[in-house]
Amino acid sequence: MAKESKTPVILSLSSGKGGVGKTSLTVNLACALAQKGSQVLVVDGDMALANVDVLLRFTAHKTIRDVLERGEDPMKAVIFVEPNLGVLPASSGVPEMVDLGPAEHVLLGNILSSIVGHFDYVLLDTAAGIGSSVLWLNTFATHNGVVVTSDPTSITDAYALIKILSREYGRKRFFLILNSVATPQEGQQTFDAIARVAEQFLGIQPQYLGCVPRDNVVLKAVQEQLPFVKGAPRSKAAEAVVELAERIRRFKRE
Amino acid sequence: MDQRDDAVISCPEGKSGCPVVAEIRRLKEQLETLKKEYDRVSRLTECDPLTGLFNFKHLEVSLQREMERTRRTGFPLSLIMIDLDHFKKVNDVYGHQVGNAALRWVGRIWRNGIRITDILCRYGGEEFTLILPATSLKQAVLAAHRLRTSLANTPLVEEGEEIRLTASFGVEVYKATDTFSADEFLKRADKYLHQAKAEGRNCVRSMEDSSAGGETEVLPEERVALFITRWPKL
């Protein structure tokens, strides 16, 4: 275990739309960061329909719900899938965990604050949609990652999320990740379109973190419950994720 | 003192005119009087004697407490700064007694138009402040409009003469994610009040009127802009 009181980069990964590959991307980014020797924590922020445990093939015995409702020690709920890669799992099939109330968010904030100091990078994998917990996790993060595909519905939903976070929550710095792109040009063009509209209508300048190509290893990794960064390290997708991790390592800590 | 109290302190030996019982009754009455006096005095320390509204001291204490509550519960806290329009004129034309009557009048009208949880204070002079716990900016702006119309539509009648009063309103909200101080909160609401004054008085101003913030719905023009390069040129 690392010493406490680091100042971690807390990166949220949201998308508005579901099915764009947030959880898969989060898990692989976490592995890539951990491979570089950093202490990494993944928080399964989809607190009612958790999936991180599925993609990493482990069974959670204690979840965020136990910590919130029964006051369990949060570090005891963290499962270390690698010595330096921990996961704070969430419950699945618990409707009342979909959108926590303000008091629970305050509590969750205290819980997360008490453990993030053990890590260099904390990745918050949020649920789809723009529910209160998604928005709250984004305000808890130091950096807001937005996962988008070039699908028009994904673009619209990502923009809607950015608009709410900037208008209602004063968030200004967004990092866009284009997932599942046919070509790097497609990724860049999609980013350019969103960035242009965000600049024109919201007065903010999202940054381009990069893109991950459409690659069969991604689907295979989900089937096999083994992150492609580990299972297929030489694949294009894995190389792209390692590149993203490198850029995240250059984030300024605050 | 009610019957039951009397029964409790009747003489155990059944003597009528027992001096001990008489003394106990006298003391109980005195206690009641002192309780009432205590209530009156504590109200005085937090109330403005002229209008009967809360005073500035109570405003400061309440604002701190409600901001803390918002940080704990997440419910937004709204604040309205209010200034009567051209009040100096009322004093100049009708005299200070009518001026004071006008301040009392305003307090009476507004006290009836707010919820029991709202805290209406006289900030000083002809300025008032309304604290609205668990109230969003939108709701607070509506509340300010209600106060504005109720005052504008209900003139004060003094010595057979109708005196029309209006006020300007500045509204601001404090959310759980905000980090500014109570002082800053008051200043921000005051800024919108100044804007209301500058833009003709008898109106309500808030962040909703400026372009930043407010609506989050994705507008048709934003949708068009997102996909403009994909559509074939006409």
Side-chain angles (χ1 to χ4, degrees), chain B residues 67 79 172 179-190:
Chain B
M67 287 171 84
L79 180 70
E172 180 59 305
T179 50
F180 53 80
S181 66
D183 233 27
E184 179 66 24
F185 194 10
L186 286 164
K187 272 188 201 146
R188 284 171 177 231
D190 207 37

Side-chain angles (χ1 to χ4, degrees), chain B residues 127-145:
Chain B
E127 278 200 77
F128 299 84
T129 308
L130 180 60
I131 302 173
L132 303 115
T135 308
S136 68
L137 181 61
K138 267 200 168 64
Q139 291 171 303
V141 166
L142 287 177
H145 277 294

Side-chain angles (χ1 to χ4, degrees), chain A residues 102-103 106 139 150 152 155-156 159-160 163-164 167-169 190 193-194 196-197 201-202, chain B residues 71-74 175 211 213-219 221-223 225-230:
Chain A
V106 171
T139 63
S150 26
I155 293 171
T156 310
Y159 180 77
K163 184 166 184 182
I164 294 165
R167 281 278 166 95
E168 288 279 288
Y169 298 89
T190 307
I194 297 174
R196 199 187 55 239
V197 181
F201 290 91
L202 309 177
Chain B
R71 287 190 288 272
R72 299 244 12 119
T73 65
K175 289 176 286 195
S211 60
E215 273 302 316
T216 60
E217 189 178 343
V218 178
L219 306 170
E221 52 268 37
E222 288 171 294
R223 285 171 189 279
L226 279 173
F227 302 113
I228 198 135
T229 52
R230 296 185 171 216

Side-chain angles (χ1 to χ4, degrees), chain B residues 75-103:
Chain B
F75 292 115
L77 173 69
S78 286
L79 180 70
I80 310 181
M81 286 291 279
I82 314 166
D83 191 58
L84 296 182
D85 298 328
H86 303 299
F87 190 71
K88 196 176 167 294
K89 244 192 232 166
V90 176
N91 276 331
D92 290 349
V93 174
Y94 301 97
H96 284 276
Q97 275 198 331
V98 174
N100 283 349
L103 291 171

Side-chain angles (χ1 to χ4, degrees), chain A:
Chain A
M1 177 73 51
K3 264 186 270 161
E4 261 193 70
S5 74
K6 297 181 181 211
T7 308
V9 164
I10 305 175
L11 174 68
S12 59
L13 289 145
S14 298
S15 60
K17 190 180 179 308
V20 300
K22 271 185 306 295
T23 306
S24 166
L25 189 64
T26 306
V27 162
N28 281 283
L29 267 178
C31 288
L33 286 165
Q35 279 171 359
K36 301 270 179 189
S38 303
Q39 303 286 331
V40 183
L41 175 70
V42 175
V43 176
D44 195 340
D46 197 344
M47 288 175 279
L49 284 172
N51 280 142
V52 171
D53 51 337
V54 182
L55 291 190
L56 285 169
R57 207 194 303 190
F58 69 85
T59 308
H61 296 287
K62 285 194 182 124
T63 67
I64 293 178
R65 187 183 174 211
D66 298 299
V67 180
L68 276 175
E69 292 181 358
R70 282 191 271 281
E72 304 265 0
D73 177 353
M75 269 321 267
K76 287 199 175 131
V78 173
I79 290 195
F80 282 88
V81 292
E82 305 270 342
N84 60 339
L85 173 53
V87 179
L88 181 59
S91 51
S92 208
V94 187
E96 58 266 35
M97 292 294 290
V98 171
D99 275 316
L100 300 176
E104 281 92 4
H105 283 148
V106 171
L107 187 57
L108 183 59
N110 294 340
I111 289 164
L112 292 180
S113 298
S114 75
I115 61 170
V116 295
H118 292 289
F119 302 93
D120 302 302
Y121 298 94
V122 178
L123 304 186
L124 309 174
D125 176 33
T126 77
I130 49 173
S132 65
S133 288
V134 174
L135 300 177
W136 183 84
L137 284 165
N138 272 278
T139 63
F140 185 79
T142 57
H143 296 74
N144 295 119
V146 179
V147 186
V148 204
T149 68
S150 26
D151 182 344
T153 53
S154 167
I155 293 171
T156 310
D157 291 358
Y159 180 77
L161 174 76
I162 292 171
K163 184 166 184 182
I164 294 165
L165 287 170
S166 73
R167 281 278 166 95
E168 288 279 288
Y169 298 89
R171 309 298 291 191
K172 298 280 174 261
R173 294 199 300 147
F174 297 92
F175 298 87
L176 266 61
I177 302 172
L178 263 293
N179 201 16
S180 195
V181 295
T183 62
Q185 289 79 359
E186 180 189 296
Q188 184 68 48
Q189 278 167 8
T190 307
F191 168 77
D192 288 345
I194 297 174
R196 199 187 55 239
V197 181
E199 162 91 68
Q200 185 186 344
F201 290 91
L202 309 177
I204 55 171
Q205 288 141 352
Q207 295 178 48
Y208 189 37
L209 201 61
C211 62
V212 180
R214 196 173 303 150
D215 190 335
N216 281 335
V217 299
V218 177
L219 299 177
K220 215 170 131 223
V222 174
Q223 288 299 326
E224 290 175 358
Q225 296 177 271
L226 178 70
F228 55 80
V229 166
K230 285 183 177 177
R234 277 183 235 291
S235 62
K236 278 187 188 157
E239 279 172 4
V241 167
V242 168
E243 176 67 36
L244 289 175
E246 265 313 309
R247 295 199 184 133
I248 291 169
R249 281 161 61 84
R250 292 199 286 267
F251 279 173
K252 280 200 197 97
R253 282 156 207 281
E254 29 191 73

